[in-house]
Amino acid sequence: MSNLTPAKIDSIVLDTLSPPPRLYWGIVSALILGTVFGLCCWIYQIYVGIGVGGQNNPVGWGTYLVNFVFWVGIAHSGTLISAILYLFRAGWRNPIARAAETMTVFAVCTAGLFPLIHLGRVWLVYYMLPYPNQRNLWPNFTSPLMFDVVAISTYLTVSALFWYTGMIPDLATIRDRASGFRKQIYTLLSFGWTGKFEQWRHYVRGYLFFAALATPLVISVHSVVSWDFGLGIVPGWHSTIFAPYFVAGAIHSGLAMVLTLMIPLRSIFRYEELITIEVLENVAKTIILTGFIVGYAYAFEIFIAWYSFNPVEQEAFRWRIFGDYSLEFWIMTVCNCVVPLFFFFKKVRTSLKYLFAISILINVGMWYERFVIIIGGPAHDFIPHSWGLYSPKFIELGIMFGTFCMFFLLFILFVKHMPSVSMTEMKEALNTGDGDVH
């Protein structure tokens, strides 16, 4: 940071908005094809019926709910980095805050698709909207599906406002350097920002307000998602630890996704002076903390099952560890609890290849965590006669592949056409003497 000046920060970020090479459009085209493939799989499912998936009796919730919880979890770390660390004035979050906020918005949009996909008859989605109608039908607000609708819509609204508010001064900076049609677009997006004192005063207050409003949402939204399971009586689900357990897991997976996205972004856009190794190292240190919390939650779940002396609960966890889904359980445990411990070694947490590889493994582990919880409960519940196994089918995997492509497509389009690092916050850190983002 000692070599940075406001002009140099503007130059580094604005250079990323130059016309992209052909390789960029090739990647975009591949991601569009992947998204269209997922959409075709969804259309086929709507036409034929949701039975084309692997869901069965008793496992009625398949990868659609697994992916829903996974993407909601990914979204939470953006708010952690943007809002909570902003309130604590952690300077190292400045270079990665914008990309984390962007990840939050796009991950919530992706998560919001899965309740619609899981609904099957998606044209009946209006049943979940509270509006007066001639049949006096109102949503069942005791249904977990309604919990998700309220949580996701609230979180998306606040996150999008927080994200866009922070971009306004940067959009004005791009507007002043642009010309032609691009200037017209950025003029419209910057809402007439001129940098007057009154505008800055309202901007700082508004940004602080959204940060304070978004912070409790990190806790509440994923707690609400956990109640989808905690309110059920299924063995392995009916637990009061689920709310903090899900929140810790969400932040764990979200931080890993930040590394997964920021390391390639840093190399491609030559952000080495902004996104320093020390910034990525601080993310890795935070992952160590969340990994310990997640590991404690795993151990506490097993302890509660043993301490309860409930034979059904004990059998559910015995089967989870040693039964048909034991491979998934051990992948979850190793990737989420053991692998992050390598970040204790400075050589590992300061190496880009190790940071990237471990972030991928944590994301894999967190996906399998949701799989073990959501699939393992109904598959092995109270009555042995009703036990059954589930494995995802081609259509489900195709839809999941398409949603991953959609997320990365939205992100890659954003970082090439919008400022992916907050110039405003980087310059504020210089001006206030809080330039040590390390």
Side-chain angles (χ1 to χ4, degrees), residues 345-361:
F345 302 99
K346 188 175 181 64
K347 183 179 179 180
V348 173
R349 66 175 185 265
T350 55
S351 168
L352 292 180
K353 62 180 181 181
Y354 287 135
L355 284 168
F356 187 72
I358 291 176
S359 71
I360 294 290
L361 289 175

Side-chain angles (χ1 to χ4, degrees), residues 4 17 71 82 179 185 191 200 205 216 250 294 313 347 409 419:
L4 289 178
L17 305 181
W71 284 114
S82 303
S179 60
I185 293 176
F191 285 114
W200 277 111
R205 289 180 177 179
V294 168
E313 196 78 15
K347 183 179 179 180
L409 173 64

